[in-house]
Amino acid sequence: MPNFSYRGRNGAGQVVQGVMEGATAGVVADLLVGTGVTPMEIKPTKAAAGDAGGGSMNINISIFKEKVQHIDVLLFSKQIYTLLKAGVPIMRALAGLQESSSNTAMKALLQDVRESLDSGRELSMSLARHPKVFTPFYLSMVRVGEMTGRLEEVFIRLFDHMEFERFMKEQVKSALRYPSFVIAAMIIAMVVVNIFVIPAFAKVFAGFKAELPLMTRILLAISKFWLDWWHVMLVGAVGTVFGFNFWRRSSKGRYEWDRIKLKFPIAGKIVLKATLARFARSFALASRSGVPIIQALSNVAVTVDNDYISDKIEKMRDGVERGESILRTSIAAGVFTPVVLQMIAVGEESGALDDMMQEVADMYQSEVEYELKTLAQQIEPILITMLGAMVLVLALGIFLPIWDLGKVAIKK
């Protein structure tokens, strides 16, 4: 029987990990849920993969195999809410969704969930058999819906939450598309100029047999360096990209990179506000659904998609466990603005913290939307300055010798 390494959270919100033996990842997920651990990641260990044989074939199959996408889970949440609200039994609802789904991976997932429900498991436990598809926050919300009898209400809230996540990601991608294109064009232009344009002018300048201007000598030296060492630079660039990605995937590297991202000019404040909007909306959703504050903070820490902010939320949870107020722990986190802290204080005093957190989320969302709409206007002066500087350097370096030669010819 193969072994699976797992990572999850226990009832106290602490991260636990280890290795467990099971026939499939779904079986391991059931065993973990039965022990009170919400699985976040389950994957075969290296030993299990080696015993299987034909590992390369499995890798090739997994690359081309259709996967469950974010949009599939989004539609599932909306459709299951509609069917449950209409009074359709859960098994009939899942069967209908399975038949109407165009994604083969989603069909297989729904079939597995139906079989799991048939065997007597709860819906949250059945969904927990697929930790790569359903997040711990999603599973926790479904579990709360089962306990309170408000499952359809939880699903529509999850749909709104996931729609907000999707909207934020699309807005960020749309805002960064133009600057990315301009920067890529500048890099390509620099490569072409240094490899093809300047060497052609170098042959002309060599016939002058005169001292060239400093800017021209610098450009010629840079171009010669590119021509002589392009293979080393290419290997170095590829190695840097792979090294950076390897570092970023490590726990320490991911934490540091998430912290550094928040300090980027212009983009850093947008990332911070978007992350805090995600935190506030998730916390409001969990609180409204009846999740205890400590458990809500533990679950929300997983959803913010930023290890640095997640660590701050974990410390907030630890402070609440020690008996401190949400306001005090929020101040200690050092990431909220005074206006937000004031709203948290009002919400805590009035007993409407979930409403205030929703207001915080809406406020941050409005700010992020405004920042994204004006992002191109903020970045455009920087890009124009960079383009102007590059053109000025090239113009001075290439045309100054020609200008000097023209003046000599006129005097003669």
Side-chain angles (χ1 to χ4, degrees), residues 30-340:
D30 289 340
L31 294 173
L32 290 172
V33 173
T35 60
V37 175
T38 301
M40 294 187 295
E41 183 182 32
I42 299 176
K43 57 184 180 181
T45 61
K46 293 182 179 180
D51 295 338
S56 60
M57 181 64 69
N58 292 334
I59 293 174
N60 292 332
I61 292 174
S62 64
I63 291 175
F64 297 103
K65 185 178 179 181
E66 195 171 9
K67 297 180 180 180
V68 179
Q69 304 294 333
H70 182 273
I71 187 65
D72 296 314
V73 183
L74 182 70
L75 292 175
F76 166 76
S77 303
K78 179 67 173 181
Q79 292 168 345
I80 197 71
Y81 156 74
T82 304
L83 293 171
L84 292 177
K85 187 179 180 181
V88 180
I90 185 68
M91 293 300 292
R92 279 182 53 194
L94 291 173
L97 293 178
Q98 181 183 352
E99 292 177 3
S100 62
S101 177
S102 59
N103 189 326
T104 55
M106 193 66 185
K107 283 179 178 286
L109 184 149
L110 292 174
Q111 177 64 30
D112 181 78
V113 171
R114 289 176 58 199
E115 293 174 356
S116 181
L117 288 173
D118 272 334
S119 63
R121 298 185 182 94
E122 296 177 340
L123 179 61
S124 58
M125 187 179 293
S126 302
L127 297 178
R129 292 164 58 88
H130 305 275
K132 292 184 178 180
V133 177
F134 300 102
T135 64
F137 179 76
Y138 194 103
L139 298 173
S140 176
M141 295 303 302
V142 173
R143 191 173 298 114
V144 170
E146 290 173 330
M147 294 170 59
T148 59
R150 298 186 297 178
L151 195 57
E152 67 276 2
E153 185 179 344
V154 165
F155 274 118
I156 191 59
R157 289 179 177 176
L158 284 171
F159 169 78
D160 293 337
H161 175 73
M162 295 181 69
E163 181 67 21
F164 167 74
E165 297 279 308
R166 182 165 170 257
F167 169 78
M168 294 291 289
K169 291 180 180 179
E170 289 179 353
Q171 287 290 312
V172 171
K173 288 181 181 179
S174 176
L176 294 179
R177 190 174 295 122
Y178 168 72
S180 301
F181 175 79
V182 173
I183 293 173
M186 289 175 60
I187 294 174
I188 293 173
M190 289 177 60
V191 173
V192 172
V193 166
N194 279 283
I195 293 180
F196 298 103
V197 178
I198 294 180
F201 277 96
K203 297 178 182 178
V204 177
F205 296 154
F208 288 179
K209 297 180 180 179
E211 185 179 359
L212 298 174
L214 176 62
M215 188 64 68
T216 305
R217 296 200 302 271
I218 293 175
L219 286 178
L220 292 176
I222 293 175
S223 177
K224 186 175 185 305
F225 178 82
W226 277 60
L227 290 172
D228 294 342
W229 298 95
W230 68 266
H231 51 287
V232 177
M233 295 173 64
L234 179 62
V235 173
V238 173
T240 301
V241 171
F242 277 100
F244 173 74
N245 288 332
F246 178 80
W247 170 76
R248 195 180 51 151
R249 290 192 182 102
S250 65
S251 57
K252 184 177 180 181
R254 186 166 55 248
Y255 176 89
E256 289 297 326
W257 174 241
D258 287 341
R259 182 181 63 83
I260 293 171
K261 281 192 299 186
L262 303 179
K263 297 182 179 180
F264 284 169
I266 302 177
K269 60 181 180 181
I270 299 178
V271 174
L272 176 61
K273 290 177 180 179
T275 304
L276 294 180
R278 190 180 298 118
F279 156 73
R281 189 175 293 272
S282 301
F283 185 84
L285 174 59
S287 180
R288 285 178 175 176
S289 301
V291 180
I293 291 181
I294 295 176
Q295 184 181 350
L297 288 172
S298 298
N299 293 334
V300 169
V302 184
T303 67
V304 294
D305 196 25
N306 185 294
D307 279 16
Y308 178 73
I309 300 296
S310 178
D311 180 66
K312 296 290 186 181
I313 298 172
E314 293 281 2
K315 291 179 179 177
M316 289 176 61
R317 185 207 65 195
D318 295 340
V320 173
E321 281 184 323
R322 292 193 299 267
E324 299 178 9
S325 64
I326 293 289
L327 175 61
R328 187 170 180 178
T329 57
S330 300
I331 295 174
V335 293
F336 297 102
T337 61
V339 175
V340 174

Side-chain angles (χ1 to χ4, degrees), residues 337-372:
T337 61
V339 175
V340 174
L341 293 174
Q342 186 177 1
M343 295 177 71
I344 293 175
V346 172
E348 201 166 22
E349 290 177 5
S350 62
L353 185 59
D354 53 348
D355 293 333
M356 286 296 102
M357 294 303 288
Q358 184 64 45
E359 292 291 335
V360 170
D362 293 339
M363 184 184 70
Y364 273 134
Q365 181 177 353
S366 299
E367 292 184 8
V368 169
E369 290 178 8
Y370 175 78
E371 293 284 354
L372 290 175

Side-chain angles (χ1 to χ4, degrees), residues 389-404:
M390 186 175 70
V391 171
L392 178 63
V393 170
L394 291 175
L396 291 176
I398 293 175
F399 293 112
L400 271 181
I402 299 177
W403 178 260
D404 293 341

